[in-house]
Amino acid sequence: MEQLLAVFSDPQVILLVFVGVFFGIVLSAIPGLTATMGIALLIPYTFALPPVVGISMLLGIYVGGMYGGSITAILIRTPGTPSAAATLLDGYPMAAKGDASKALSWATVSSFVGGLFSCLVLIFIAPQIASVALRFGPAEYFALAIFGLSIVGAIAGSNPLKGIIVAALGVFIGTIGLDPIAGTQRLTFGNANLMGGISFIPALIGLFAVSQVIKEIANSNVVKTMGEKMAYKKQRLTLKEVFQQWKPFSIASTIGTLIGIIPGAGASIATFLSYNEIKRFSKKERRKEFGKGIPEGIIASEASNNAVTGGALVPLLTIGIPGDVVTAVILGGLMIQGVTPGPMLFTENSSLVYSLFGTLIMANIFMLILGLFGVRLFARIADVPKQILLPIIVVLCFIGSYSLSNNIFDVWVALAFGIIGYFFEKYRYPLAPMILGLVLGPMIESNLRRALIESKQDWSVFFQKPISAIFISIALLSFLIPLIKKIMEMRKEKAMS
Amino acid sequence: MNFVKKELLFFNVGMFVFSFIALYFINQLPVAKNTVGLGAGFFPSLIIWFILIINYLLVINCFLLLRSKAEVEDEEDTEKQSLLRFFGIVGLLVLYVWSWELIDYKITTFLFLLIGMKMLYISDWKKLIIIPLGIVILIYLFFEVLLRIPMP
């Protein structure tokens, strides 16, 4: 406990954590740039620093990076990071109603609560939880991914079938590239750029941001009113409002932490799962409000994605397996410092471990301060007329897409998905399920095939393993219930007419 | 043509065409040995068949909506979408991205922002010059100088 508190009195740690959080927020707010990139860029500079100081800065970027993507998701419907894709479902509608300031405040507070919750879990029960995560095999991962995909019903809008087909399309697009097991080229048509598959981030940028720009400009009625600024009300979030949402906070933080603990699951799954579960546990009248700009939608995404930070560090520190892409890069940073994660870390180097726990708490506090004070600055984006903002958004999207791997092909991907997204929205097909499909598709395929190969094509393996059986059963119910409800509603309307 | 008919024609029919073309290419994939039927084409073909079934259900849904006249009126597209503006903006975006391979991105970005803002009825020449110039400088400083990311 002394080491945990000692970091709060070290000026070097305090300064670098602050810089890390700020850098992480700025990077992840820009579409195409990510916390992973920021950490990778700064790892070489941490070599000259003491271990606690160097790793603290990286953790600061991690925490800031998970939050920053929500800023552009809320203000300009452009998620800065994949983990903020769910935030725009309610964040942008809330901002469009004139409550940008409140939406950003909800995102900040939610990120803080989720991050702090997972820190506490990390501190008190890390080794015990890691042992459960080790029990996940291919069948369990497949079931988890299917469970994640089952929430399309919650985000599909009025017609679940539209959500399902879009998600399936996303899964199919995810198969382009090299077969994960046999290494065969699939649907690449000899194009070397496609061998790695369709890059996820340019697709995300294209679907949400570029499509929106095309839609706004193509709609001639909207163009004439573009000089008008987005209505902006200066509104503060009260403590009472925050405490009233204790239930969504609890659910989102728990889901985010648990998903973060499972290696390879990632924040994107956590955010959509959390959104679905909070919607499921809401009152009937409230469920209809999801997607129209309510705090629960923002809390679901932001609390869960920041809760992933502490959760992802559990397998990293306890068994040396990174929980997500960012912690995989942080692992590199740890090894540069001569720190070997694993069970022995807690016994041989406990002072370092508890110092890191302390810096994680510090990073969340700085994120809260920067976020709440920055709301006034960030929300000013709402003052910029759309006629100026829209072309700038396009430029940032394309530059961001290019900067991922210095490949112009990614920019073409962003543009292509922008056009696809425009037509999907034109015919009222939801976009978010495609992102889910793209994220979960590779996980579904590789684990499905591995599980079937291991079980010699015995499909009952998914129901023989308890964890897998539970996830698949819930997934099936999640798929079927919205469909059955829709059929019953149609029959009722027919009977009444 | 009402909205539901447009959806049926452009999206659903298009999805059927896409699915059959995809199935054709998937069937061309080589079958590797020792994969017990779970080769490279297994999962993509599974997904495509699933898409075909769901698309079929959506087509039935469209026909049911067309039969119900009250619902058809609700579904009609009331937004005035300008085809010319759509092709205009898409053309401009294609030109912008393509020009990166020929000219330095700073010049093309400046021109794109200028033309884009002009298309959106910004007529003040000071804004048309200063804002694009400012954005290009910011992008250069942030991406190339601070982050050292090579740009096109």
Side-chain angles (χ1 to χ4, degrees), chain B:
Chain B
M1 199 190 290
N2 73 44
F3 182 80
V4 177
K5 282 182 185 171
K6 274 189 204 172
E7 180 190 334
L8 190 64
L9 187 63
F10 292 115
F11 190 90
N12 298 116
V13 169
M15 193 54 77
F16 275 124
V17 171
F18 167 80
S19 301
F20 288 124
I21 292 173
L23 272 176
Y24 168 76
F25 283 111
I26 289 165
N27 287 334
Q28 304 295 311
L29 290 170
V31 180
K33 291 175 190 175
N34 302 323
T35 54
V36 291
L38 299 169
F42 163 71
F43 189 72
S45 59
L46 189 70
I47 296 298
I48 286 293
W49 280 110
F50 181 74
I51 287 174
L52 280 167
I53 294 167
I54 300 295
N55 199 36
Y56 178 68
L57 292 173
L58 279 168
V59 167
I60 294 172
N61 185 53
C62 281
F63 278 118
L64 287 173
L65 282 171
L66 284 171
R67 274 178 65 182
S68 162
K69 287 182 185 172
E71 289 211 52
V72 164
E73 283 172 52
D74 289 339
E75 290 285 338
E76 240 179 86
D77 189 2
T78 54
E79 288 177 359
K80 287 181 186 176
Q81 297 284 342
S82 167
L83 266 181
L84 198 62
R85 293 194 72 83
F86 170 74
F87 284 114
I89 185 62
V90 170
L92 185 65
L93 290 172
V94 168
L95 208 63
Y96 174 49
V97 177
W98 178 68
S99 66
W100 279 16
E101 298 183 61
L102 304 169
I103 315 167
D104 189 278
Y105 82 98
K106 298 184 217 37
I107 300 168
T108 55
T109 301
F110 176 83
L111 288 171
F112 170 79
L113 286 170
L114 194 146
I115 296 169
M117 283 161 56
K118 191 81 183 125
M119 261 179 83
L120 296 172
Y121 306 112
I122 296 271
S123 50
D124 183 349
W125 279 102
K126 282 185 199 162
K127 278 186 189 168
L128 283 171
I129 302 291
I130 293 170
I131 293 170
L133 197 61
I135 296 295
V136 168
I137 292 169
L138 276 171
I139 289 172
Y140 168 74
L141 288 173
F142 189 77
F143 285 86
E144 287 197 69
V145 174
L146 184 66
L147 296 180
R148 295 187 197 173
I149 296 172
M151 300 302 287

Side-chain angles (χ1 to χ4, degrees), chain A residues 30 159 162 168 172 185-186 217-218 223 387 394-395 399 402 406 408 422 426-429 445 449 457, chain B residues 3 7 10-11 29 36 38-40 43 47 61 75 81-82 85-86 93 100 120-121 142 150-152:
Chain A
I30 300 170
N159 191 341
K162 288 187 174 182
F172 177 75
Q185 285 189 43
R186 289 190 299 204
I217 295 175
V223 168
Q387 295 155 307
V394 168
V395 166
I399 299 263
Y402 179 83
N406 301 123
I408 196 101
Y422 168 77
K426 188 175 158 71
Y427 294 111
R428 295 176 201 167
Y429 281 77
E445 181 185 5
R449 288 167 70 188
Q457 289 203 59
Chain B
F3 182 80
E7 180 190 334
F10 292 115
F11 190 90
L29 290 170
V36 291
L38 299 169
F43 189 72
I47 296 298
N61 185 53
E75 290 285 338
Q81 297 284 342
S82 167
R85 293 194 72 83
F86 170 74
L93 290 172
W100 279 16
L120 296 172
Y121 306 112
F142 189 77
M151 300 302 287

